[in-house]
Amino acid sequence: RDARLAQVCCSFRVSVVVFFIPMADNTEMPVETKPVNPHVATTCTAGPIGLTAFGITTILLNFLNADLIGKDSITLIICYGMFHGGFIQILAGMWEVYRGNIFGGCAFTSYGGFWMGFALFEILMVITELEPPSKDGKAVWLCVWGVFTLLNFIGTLNANRVVQFVFASLTTLFFLLAAGVDNHDIHVVAGYVGIVCGSSALYLGWAEVMNELAGRELCYIGPVKNKVF
């Protein structure tokens, strides 16, 4: 048994040496390559679906925040937001995870969950005797989402300029909404920022569809040439 063990160890040492010693001329060393996700080449992206769902619901809610529509519109916005802004975004996120796009999957499922949670809270406030949240608690909730969105913005630095703008404006929106908990004027300004943010997301979703149909950059999205990381 000892002789057999010594033979195996010797073979292992030889294999390691052969692997690391440069091979003869005109022969390339084996290079480790990252496995390719086979689903990427055969499955279309769900990015435009998630961006459209996010964009439309964000625009609608922030028309309300900006006092451009009546407060009685909240029921329509909440019900629509739960399914389009929430459920559809989560589906888009899971689709992106299937394709191997972890950033898109994380973003869409997170903001889809945000919309579903927000809608459920508003519904419970109507059908139950649930106490409204304190101003401090609401501000902290919005700030946490602002920090999360800021971290996501860092992840877009290697992406296109429009998606960078979406996350930068969304970060600003969350922090303005947090500051607007005690100041109605700031809350209204946040509403206008939210309309711009949602419009940019809606544009990006449409632009990605048009560019894929055209097979070129028909609509500007601003691809980044020099990668940050």
Side-chain angles (χ1 to χ4, degrees), residues 20-90:
F20 284 102
I21 292 179
M23 296 182 178
D25 293 340
N26 302 324
T27 305
E28 295 183 355
M29 290 283 291
V31 178
E32 181 180 357
T33 58
K34 184 179 180 179
V36 178
N37 185 346
H39 303 306
V40 175
T42 58
T43 309
C44 68
T45 176
I49 300 173
L51 288 166
T52 301
F54 170 81
I56 293 177
T57 47
T58 301
I59 291 171
L60 291 176
L61 179 62
N62 284 285
F63 262 91
L64 184 64
N65 290 334
D67 288 342
L68 296 176
I69 55 177
K71 298 294 183 183
D72 53 354
S73 303
I74 186 65
T75 52
L76 172 63
I77 295 172
I78 289 302
C79 292
Y80 177 79
M82 172 176 281
F83 285 93
H84 199 190
F87 184 63
I88 297 301
Q89 271 203 91
I90 290 176

Side-chain angles (χ1 to χ4, degrees), residues 44-177:
C44 68
T45 176
I49 300 173
L51 288 166
T52 301
F54 170 81
I56 293 177
T57 47
T58 301
I59 291 171
L60 291 176
L61 179 62
N62 284 285
F63 262 91
L64 184 64
N65 290 334
D67 288 342
L68 296 176
I69 55 177
K71 298 294 183 183
D72 53 354
S73 303
I74 186 65
T75 52
L76 172 63
I77 295 172
I78 289 302
C79 292
Y80 177 79
M82 172 176 281
F83 285 93
H84 199 190
F87 184 63
I88 297 301
Q89 271 203 91
I90 290 176
L91 289 180
M94 291 295 96
W95 193 269
E96 287 301 297
V97 170
Y98 174 76
R99 295 182 67 251
N101 179 9
I102 187 60
F103 178 83
C106 178
F108 286 138
T109 53
S110 296
Y111 294 114
F114 169 88
W115 265 103
M116 295 196 77
F118 176 66
L120 177 61
F121 172 76
E122 291 291 335
I123 293 172
L124 290 177
M125 288 287 292
V126 174
I127 65 176
T128 69
E129 297 180 357
L130 187 68
E131 290 289 332
S134 66
K135 290 185 176 181
D136 290 344
K138 190 174 181 180
V140 168
W141 170 62
L142 290 166
C143 283
V144 168
W145 276 99
V147 171
F148 171 72
T149 306
L150 177 61
L151 295 175
N152 278 329
F153 167 74
I154 296 174
T156 67
L157 295 179
N158 282 351
N160 60 70
R161 300 301 184 190
V162 179
V163 76
Q164 290 176 10
F165 181 83
V166 171
F167 278 90
S169 58
L170 183 57
T171 301
T172 305
L173 171 61
F174 275 121
F175 287 121
L176 283 176
L177 287 173

